[in-house]
Amino acid sequence: MESIIESFGIRQGDTMSWIKICITLLLAFLAGYAAYLAVRKIVAGIVIRITRRTGFKWDNLLFDRKLFGRLGILTFPIVTKTLLAGLVWSHAGLVLKALDTWIIFAFVALVSSVLSGVDRIYMSRSDSKDKPIKVFIQVVEIFLYSAAIIVAIGMFTEKDVTTLLAGLTAFAAVLMLIFKDSILGLVAGVQLSANDMVHIGDWIVMPSCGADGDVKEIGLTTVKVQNFDKTITTIPTYRLVSESFTNWRGMTESEGRRIKRFINIDVHSIHYLTGEEIAALTDSSLLNAYMRQKLKDLEEYNASRKSSLDVRRLTNIGTFREYLESWIASNPDINREMTHMVRQLQPTPTGLPIEIYCFSARQRWIDYENVQSDIFDHVFAILDLFNLRAFQYSGSVATTTEIK
């Protein structure tokens, strides 16, 4: 016991000095703890109640419980050091250095909390998704914590900061390895922002990382994507620059969402229109003008043709394409200002593909799928009126309509 007391700089028999030091330390730390509780509970409660009554939103985002908690952690060592400033003890210098280190890191933590509040205030703006600042805030935080570590080492070793920085150059390679992701993330963050490559809220697809969803957070080292199954995929920031990904922002900012599907027509159902079929199709308001003009043109062309091989006629597949063109152009759910067409693709062993290419005016996912489904519901139902058939597998293979 005596050796332990002597290690604290107290001579044997000097019991009163030892008791005085212990009481001083205890009172100083109790006062510091009381100041911590006062800031965290009383001051925080008063300020937060005041901010809630103001008409401003920024103060609610800046002054939160976490900020006052860190302010209390900073107040604790300041009050304690103030009360211990006159303590005469051989180890008092070590205690004061420890408190100074505490103050340095508590101050950096408080500044970090303020910067987080600034980020929340900025993110509440409507245009914040285009230029997030979290990457730059994280860079500032890394710089502050690095500086705090260097200053703390300098305090305990009693060496000048410039001397320590000169010595750290020998560990530059190690530091580069440790902070590799942060350095790459910083460069990538600047490139993402400068080139306007990705915003918070963008729908991105990156198969190599298993990401298919909305960007929720862009940080210094990682980008968080919430997939449509509600899972979270974390992507290193630099990979968004070094690898390929698809950003659907262009679609959401445009006035349409593309529909590009085809239906396979059984080629055995394709034929020239008969007189009865022509009469029935001419009654359609969507085809009436087309049929009359086409029949007039064919009559003039065929007037001097004697061979049936030279005569031009209307086909059910051609008239079907013209009908779909007119039907899509009159559909209110289709953006008629954007490209829309019905075309034939290369025939395959599964029939002749007739593709519908257009843009839905309704971009919301569920609405878009409904528009797309309604179009092909009508396409399948109308085939019989043109005496066309969709290609189907038959026999031992399950019947399946070919549609992509």
Short mmCIF file of all heavy atoms in Angstrom, two decimals, residues 142-184:
data_model
loop_
_atom_site.label_atom_id
_atom_site.label_comp_id
_atom_site.label_asym_id
_atom_site.label_seq_id
_atom_site.Cartn_x
_atom_site.Cartn_y
_atom_site.Cartn_z
N ILE A 142 -12.59 14.07 -41.09
CA ILE A 142 -11.35 13.28 -41.08
C ILE A 142 -10.14 14.18 -40.81
O ILE A 142 -9.24 13.84 -40.03
CB ILE A 142 -11.18 12.52 -42.41
CG1 ILE A 142 -12.20 11.39 -42.52
CG2 ILE A 142 -9.76 11.95 -42.54
CD1 ILE A 142 -12.18 10.67 -43.84
N PHE A 143 -10.12 15.35 -41.44
CA PHE A 143 -9.02 16.29 -41.23
C PHE A 143 -8.97 16.74 -39.77
O PHE A 143 -7.89 16.79 -39.16
CB PHE A 143 -9.21 17.51 -42.14
CG PHE A 143 -8.22 18.61 -41.88
CD1 PHE A 143 -6.92 18.54 -42.35
CD2 PHE A 143 -8.60 19.73 -41.13
CE1 PHE A 143 -6.01 19.56 -42.09
CE2 PHE A 143 -7.71 20.75 -40.87
CZ PHE A 143 -6.40 20.66 -41.35
N LEU A 144 -10.13 17.06 -39.17
CA LEU A 144 -10.16 17.53 -37.78
C LEU A 144 -9.70 16.45 -36.82
O LEU A 144 -8.92 16.72 -35.89
CB LEU A 144 -11.58 17.99 -37.42
CG LEU A 144 -12.07 19.27 -38.10
CD1 LEU A 144 -13.52 19.54 -37.75
CD2 LEU A 144 -11.20 20.46 -37.71
N TYR A 145 -10.17 15.22 -37.01
CA TYR A 145 -9.76 14.13 -36.12
C TYR A 145 -8.27 13.81 -36.29
O TYR A 145 -7.58 13.51 -35.31
CB TYR A 145 -10.61 12.88 -36.37
CG TYR A 145 -11.94 12.90 -35.65
CD1 TYR A 145 -13.13 13.09 -36.34
CD2 TYR A 145 -11.99 12.75 -34.28
CE1 TYR A 145 -14.35 13.12 -35.67
CE2 TYR A 145 -13.21 12.76 -33.60
CZ TYR A 145 -14.38 12.95 -34.30
OH TYR A 145 -15.59 12.99 -33.63
N SER A 146 -7.78 13.88 -37.50
CA SER A 146 -6.35 13.65 -37.74
C SER A 146 -5.52 14.73 -37.03
O SER A 146 -4.50 14.43 -36.39
CB SER A 146 -6.05 13.64 -39.24
OG SER A 146 -6.77 12.63 -39.90
N ALA A 147 -5.96 15.98 -37.15
CA ALA A 147 -5.25 17.07 -36.48
C ALA A 147 -5.30 16.91 -34.97
O ALA A 147 -4.31 17.16 -34.27
CB ALA A 147 -5.86 18.42 -36.89
N ALA A 148 -6.46 16.47 -34.45
CA ALA A 148 -6.59 16.26 -33.00
C ALA A 148 -5.63 15.18 -32.50
O ALA A 148 -5.02 15.32 -31.43
CB ALA A 148 -8.03 15.88 -32.66
N ILE A 149 -5.48 14.12 -33.27
CA ILE A 149 -4.56 13.04 -32.88
C ILE A 149 -3.12 13.56 -32.84
O ILE A 149 -2.36 13.27 -31.90
CB ILE A 149 -4.69 11.86 -33.86
CG1 ILE A 149 -6.06 11.18 -33.70
CG2 ILE A 149 -3.57 10.84 -33.64
CD1 ILE A 149 -6.36 10.14 -34.74
N ILE A 150 -2.74 14.33 -33.85
CA ILE A 150 -1.37 14.86 -33.91
C ILE A 150 -1.11 15.80 -32.73
O ILE A 150 -0.06 15.74 -32.07
CB ILE A 150 -1.14 15.58 -35.25
CG1 ILE A 150 -1.19 14.57 -36.40
CG2 ILE A 150 0.20 16.30 -35.25
CD1 ILE A 150 -1.15 15.19 -37.77
N VAL A 151 -2.08 16.70 -32.44
CA VAL A 151 -1.92 17.64 -31.33
C VAL A 151 -1.83 16.90 -30.00
O VAL A 151 -1.00 17.24 -29.13
CB VAL A 151 -3.08 18.65 -31.31
CG1 VAL A 151 -3.03 19.51 -30.04
CG2 VAL A 151 -3.03 19.54 -32.54
N ALA A 152 -2.68 15.86 -29.83
CA ALA A 152 -2.65 15.09 -28.59
C ALA A 152 -1.32 14.38 -28.40
O ALA A 152 -0.76 14.36 -27.29
CB ALA A 152 -3.80 14.07 -28.59
N ILE A 153 -0.79 13.80 -29.47
CA ILE A 153 0.52 13.15 -29.38
C ILE A 153 1.60 14.17 -29.02
O ILE A 153 2.49 13.91 -28.20
CB ILE A 153 0.85 12.43 -30.71
CG1 ILE A 153 -0.12 11.27 -30.94
CG2 ILE A 153 2.30 11.91 -30.69
CD1 ILE A 153 0.05 10.61 -32.29
N GLY A 154 1.51 15.35 -29.64
CA GLY A 154 2.48 16.40 -29.34
C GLY A 154 2.43 16.85 -27.89
O GLY A 154 3.46 17.16 -27.28
N MET A 155 1.23 16.88 -27.29
CA MET A 155 1.10 17.28 -25.89
C MET A 155 1.76 16.27 -24.96
O MET A 155 2.46 16.65 -24.01
CB MET A 155 -0.39 17.42 -25.53
CG MET A 155 -1.06 18.63 -26.15
SD MET A 155 -2.84 18.63 -25.87
CE MET A 155 -2.91 18.36 -24.10
N PHE A 156 1.58 15.00 -25.22
CA PHE A 156 2.14 13.98 -24.32
C PHE A 156 3.64 13.79 -24.54
O PHE A 156 4.38 13.50 -23.61
CB PHE A 156 1.40 12.66 -24.51
CG PHE A 156 0.10 12.59 -23.77
CD1 PHE A 156 -1.09 12.87 -24.41
CD2 PHE A 156 0.07 12.26 -22.42
CE1 PHE A 156 -2.30 12.82 -23.73
CE2 PHE A 156 -1.13 12.19 -21.73
CZ PHE A 156 -2.33 12.48 -22.39
N THR A 157 4.09 13.94 -25.79
CA THR A 157 5.53 13.76 -26.07
C THR A 157 6.30 15.06 -25.92
O THR A 157 7.53 15.04 -25.96
CB THR A 157 5.70 13.23 -27.50
OG1 THR A 157 5.13 14.16 -28.44
CG2 THR A 157 5.04 11.87 -27.67
N GLU A 158 5.56 16.18 -25.75
CA GLU A 158 6.17 17.51 -25.60
C GLU A 158 7.08 17.85 -26.78
O GLU A 158 8.16 18.42 -26.62
CB GLU A 158 6.95 17.58 -24.28
CG GLU A 158 6.06 17.42 -23.05
CD GLU A 158 6.84 17.54 -21.76
OE1 GLU A 158 8.08 17.62 -21.83
OE2 GLU A 158 6.20 17.58 -20.68
N LYS A 159 6.60 17.47 -27.97
CA LYS A 159 7.32 17.79 -29.20
C LYS A 159 6.48 18.72 -30.06
O LYS A 159 5.24 18.70 -30.00
CB LYS A 159 7.66 16.53 -29.99
CG LYS A 159 8.71 15.66 -29.30
CD LYS A 159 9.10 14.50 -30.18
CE LYS A 159 10.19 13.65 -29.53
NZ LYS A 159 10.60 12.51 -30.38
N ASP A 160 7.16 19.51 -30.88
CA ASP A 160 6.48 20.45 -31.75
C ASP A 160 5.68 19.70 -32.82
O ASP A 160 6.10 18.63 -33.29
CB ASP A 160 7.50 21.38 -32.42
CG ASP A 160 6.80 22.51 -33.18
OD1 ASP A 160 6.13 23.31 -32.53
OD2 ASP A 160 6.92 22.53 -34.41
N VAL A 161 4.53 20.28 -33.19
CA VAL A 161 3.65 19.64 -34.17
C VAL A 161 4.35 19.47 -35.51
O VAL A 161 4.21 18.45 -36.19
CB VAL A 161 2.35 20.45 -34.35
CG1 VAL A 161 1.50 19.86 -35.48
CG2 VAL A 161 1.56 20.48 -33.06
N THR A 162 5.14 20.46 -35.91
CA THR A 162 5.86 20.37 -37.19
C THR A 162 6.85 19.23 -37.18
O THR A 162 7.05 18.56 -38.21
CB THR A 162 6.59 21.70 -37.48
OG1 THR A 162 7.47 22.00 -36.38
CG2 THR A 162 5.60 22.83 -37.67
N THR A 163 7.47 18.97 -36.03
CA THR A 163 8.40 17.83 -35.92
C THR A 163 7.65 16.52 -36.10
O THR A 163 8.13 15.60 -36.77
CB THR A 163 9.11 17.85 -34.56
OG1 THR A 163 9.75 19.11 -34.38
CG2 THR A 163 10.12 16.72 -34.46
N LEU A 164 6.46 16.44 -35.49
CA LEU A 164 5.66 15.22 -35.63
C LEU A 164 5.23 15.01 -37.08
O LEU A 164 5.25 13.89 -37.59
CB LEU A 164 4.42 15.31 -34.73
CG LEU A 164 4.67 15.22 -33.23
CD1 LEU A 164 3.37 15.49 -32.48
CD2 LEU A 164 5.21 13.85 -32.86
N LEU A 165 4.83 16.11 -37.75
CA LEU A 165 4.41 15.99 -39.15
C LEU A 165 5.56 15.54 -40.02
O LEU A 165 5.38 14.74 -40.96
CB LEU A 165 3.86 17.33 -39.65
CG LEU A 165 2.51 17.76 -39.07
CD1 LEU A 165 2.15 19.16 -39.54
CD2 LEU A 165 1.43 16.78 -39.46
N ALA A 166 6.76 16.03 -39.73
CA ALA A 166 7.94 15.61 -40.49
C ALA A 166 8.20 14.13 -40.29
O ALA A 166 8.58 13.40 -41.22
CB ALA A 166 9.16 16.43 -40.08
N GLY A 167 7.98 13.66 -39.06
CA GLY A 167 8.19 12.23 -38.80
C GLY A 167 7.14 11.36 -39.45
O GLY A 167 7.40 10.22 -39.83
N LEU A 168 5.91 11.91 -39.59
CA LEU A 168 4.82 11.13 -40.19
C LEU A 168 5.03 10.88 -41.68
O LEU A 168 4.40 9.98 -42.24
CB LEU A 168 3.49 11.85 -39.98
CG LEU A 168 2.92 11.80 -38.55
CD1 LEU A 168 1.67 12.67 -38.47
CD2 LEU A 168 2.61 10.37 -38.14
N THR A 169 5.87 11.68 -42.31
CA THR A 169 6.11 11.46 -43.74
C THR A 169 6.71 10.09 -44.00
O THR A 169 6.55 9.52 -45.07
CB THR A 169 7.04 12.54 -44.30
OG1 THR A 169 8.27 12.55 -43.53
CG2 THR A 169 6.40 13.91 -44.23
N ALA A 170 7.40 9.55 -43.00
CA ALA A 170 7.97 8.21 -43.15
C ALA A 170 6.89 7.15 -43.20
O ALA A 170 7.11 6.05 -43.71
CB ALA A 170 8.93 7.93 -41.99
N PHE A 171 5.71 7.50 -42.65
CA PHE A 171 4.60 6.53 -42.64
C PHE A 171 3.56 6.86 -43.71
O PHE A 171 2.42 6.42 -43.62
CB PHE A 171 3.93 6.53 -41.26
CG PHE A 171 4.85 6.14 -40.14
CD1 PHE A 171 5.46 7.12 -39.38
CD2 PHE A 171 5.11 4.82 -39.86
CE1 PHE A 171 6.30 6.80 -38.35
CE2 PHE A 171 5.95 4.47 -38.83
CZ PHE A 171 6.56 5.46 -38.06
N ALA A 172 3.96 7.69 -44.67
CA ALA A 172 3.01 8.12 -45.70
C ALA A 172 2.42 6.93 -46.46
O ALA A 172 1.22 6.90 -46.74
CB ALA A 172 3.69 9.08 -46.68
N ALA A 173 3.27 5.96 -46.77
CA ALA A 173 2.79 4.78 -47.52
C ALA A 173 1.76 4.01 -46.71
O ALA A 173 0.74 3.55 -47.24
CB ALA A 173 3.96 3.88 -47.89
N VAL A 174 2.02 3.89 -45.40
CA VAL A 174 1.08 3.19 -44.54
C VAL A 174 -0.23 3.96 -44.44
O VAL A 174 -1.32 3.38 -44.49
CB VAL A 174 1.70 2.98 -43.13
CG1 VAL A 174 0.69 2.29 -42.21
CG2 VAL A 174 2.97 2.17 -43.23
N LEU A 175 -0.11 5.28 -44.29
CA LEU A 175 -1.32 6.11 -44.22
C LEU A 175 -2.13 6.04 -45.51
O LEU A 175 -3.37 6.01 -45.48
CB LEU A 175 -0.93 7.56 -43.92
CG LEU A 175 -0.33 7.83 -42.53
CD1 LEU A 175 0.11 9.28 -42.43
CD2 LEU A 175 -1.34 7.51 -41.45
N MET A 176 -1.44 6.00 -46.64
CA MET A 176 -2.14 5.88 -47.92
C MET A 176 -2.92 4.57 -47.98
O MET A 176 -4.03 4.52 -48.52
CB MET A 176 -1.13 5.94 -49.07
CG MET A 176 -0.53 7.32 -49.29
SD MET A 176 -1.70 8.47 -50.05
CE MET A 176 -1.76 7.80 -51.70
N LEU A 177 -2.33 3.51 -47.41
CA LEU A 177 -3.01 2.21 -47.41
C LEU A 177 -4.21 2.24 -46.48
O LEU A 177 -5.28 1.73 -46.82
CB LEU A 177 -2.03 1.11 -46.99
CG LEU A 177 -2.58 -0.33 -46.95
CD1 LEU A 177 -3.02 -0.75 -48.36
CD2 LEU A 177 -1.54 -1.29 -46.40
N ILE A 178 -4.04 2.86 -45.30
CA ILE A 178 -5.12 2.91 -44.33
C ILE A 178 -6.29 3.73 -44.86
O ILE A 178 -7.46 3.35 -44.72
CB ILE A 178 -4.62 3.50 -42.99
CG1 ILE A 178 -3.59 2.54 -42.36
CG2 ILE A 178 -5.77 3.75 -42.03
CD1 ILE A 178 -2.93 3.11 -41.12
N PHE A 179 -5.98 4.87 -45.47
CA PHE A 179 -7.03 5.79 -45.94
C PHE A 179 -7.29 5.65 -47.44
O PHE A 179 -7.77 6.59 -48.07
CB PHE A 179 -6.64 7.23 -45.61
CG PHE A 179 -6.58 7.53 -44.14
CD1 PHE A 179 -5.37 7.67 -43.50
CD2 PHE A 179 -7.74 7.64 -43.41
CE1 PHE A 179 -5.32 7.95 -42.13
CE2 PHE A 179 -7.71 7.92 -42.05
CZ PHE A 179 -6.49 8.06 -41.40
N LYS A 180 -6.99 4.48 -47.98
CA LYS A 180 -7.16 4.28 -49.43
C LYS A 180 -8.61 4.51 -49.85
O LYS A 180 -8.87 5.28 -50.79
CB LYS A 180 -6.76 2.84 -49.80
CG LYS A 180 -6.89 2.55 -51.29
CD LYS A 180 -6.75 1.06 -51.60
CE LYS A 180 -7.96 0.29 -51.12
NZ LYS A 180 -7.97 -1.12 -51.55
N ASP A 181 -9.55 3.88 -49.16
CA ASP A 181 -10.96 4.03 -49.53
C ASP A 181 -11.43 5.48 -49.38
O ASP A 181 -12.22 5.97 -50.19
CB ASP A 181 -11.84 3.11 -48.67
CG ASP A 181 -11.66 1.64 -49.05
OD1 ASP A 181 -11.14 1.39 -50.15
OD2 ASP A 181 -12.04 0.78 -48.24
N SER A 182 -10.93 6.16 -48.33
CA SER A 182 -11.33 7.56 -48.12
C SER A 182 -10.80 8.45 -49.24
O SER A 182 -11.51 9.33 -49.73
CB SER A 182 -10.81 8.04 -46.77
OG SER A 182 -11.37 7.28 -45.71
N ILE A 183 -9.54 8.22 -49.65
CA ILE A 183 -8.95 9.03 -50.71
C ILE A 183 -9.66 8.77 -52.04
O ILE A 183 -10.03 9.70 -52.76
CB ILE A 183 -7.45 8.74 -50.83
CG1 ILE A 183 -6.72 9.19 -49.55
CG2 ILE A 183 -6.85 9.45 -52.03
CD1 ILE A 183 -5.29 8.76 -49.48
N LEU A 184 -9.87 7.48 -52.34
CA LEU A 184 -10.58 7.14 -53.58
C LEU A 184 -12.01 7.68 -53.54
O LEU A 184 -12.54 8.16 -54.55
CB LEU A 184 -10.59 5.63 -53.78
CG LEU A 184 -9.25 4.96 -54.11
CD1 LEU A 184 -9.41 3.45 -54.14
CD2 LEU A 184 -8.72 5.46 -55.45
#
